[in-house]
Structures are given as structure tokens and as C-alpha cells.
Amino acid sequence: MAKEKQEKNIMGRTFDFILAGAAIIVGIMLLTGHGDIFMKGGNTQLRKAKYDEKKMTKGSGVALLLIGIATGIDSYTTGLAAKIGYIIVLILILAGLMLYLKYKCAKK
């Protein structure tokens, strides 16, 4: 029973590392201007008319870096309070991104 639990924990931690690594890599690509491919989709013409694309990619890159760091840290925690804290941090990062997009990236 203990061996099964340990294997499950290792698989979960590995998945967390993969997610954290992907978020950090995409975040760095967005910050350096090489991640435009990740900003595709949706109504591109409407988004270009409404938002400053350069500011939007920078904000998204920072948010992804923060999410990657938070996920990497969370992979080492096991307590319920830490998991709740992780969820709160993710919500704060996403709320901050939405506010940034609304107030700093919107074209006037």
C-alpha cells in the first residue's frame, strides 16, 4: 500500500514539473518576443483592434512565469493548507492578468 502511494506521488510530482517547465518556457518565449504562436486563436482582428499586442504578450509571459514558479513550488508541498494557498495564488495571478489586460493593454 505504501509503495503504491509513493508511486502515485512521484507521478503527480513529475506531471507538476512538466507543467511548471512548460509554463516557464512559454513565459520566457512570450517575454522575449518569440512566443507569438501562443497568442493565436479566437477573434484575432477584434483583439488587435482592442488591445496592444506587445503589452498583452509581456503580461501573459509574466503571468505564465509566475504560474510556473508557483506550480514548481507546489510540487514539493503535501499539506491541505499549501494546496489551498496554491489555488489562491493561481486565482490572484489570473485576476492580476485580467486587470492588467483591462487597464494597461486596452487601446483607447
Side-chain angles (χ1 to χ4, degrees):
M1 180 98 170
K3 187 175 182 179
E4 290 175 11
K5 188 174 182 180
Q6 184 180 10
E7 287 177 11
K8 188 175 182 182
N9 189 21
I10 290 171
M11 287 179 55
R13 186 175 285 178
T14 302
F15 185 67
D16 286 347
F17 286 140
I18 292 169
L19 285 178
I24 289 171
I25 290 169
V26 172
I28 290 170
M29 288 178 71
L30 286 169
L31 281 174
T32 59
H34 296 92
D36 291 338
I37 191 168
F38 298 110
M39 298 299 288
K40 304 293 182 206
N43 193 343
T44 307
Q45 291 178 346
L46 178 64
R47 187 178 67 231
K48 284 184 180 182
K50 196 172 182 180
Y51 296 106
D52 182 351
E53 289 279 321
K54 198 167 199 167
K55 287 182 181 179
M56 195 167 81
T57 56
K58 299 279 185 193
S60 299
V62 169
L64 279 172
L65 280 175
L66 293 174
I67 289 171
I69 291 167
T71 303
I73 292 170
D74 180 61
S75 67
Y76 289 104
T77 62
T78 56
L80 179 62
K83 298 299 179 188
I84 292 171
Y86 171 66
I87 292 170
I88 291 170
V89 166
L90 288 181
I91 290 170
L92 289 174
I93 291 169
L94 293 176
L97 176 62
M98 293 300 121
L99 290 173
Y100 177 76
L101 291 175
K102 183 176 181 179
Y103 294 113
K104 298 292 183 181
C105 297
K107 290 183 179 177
K108 298 176 183 183

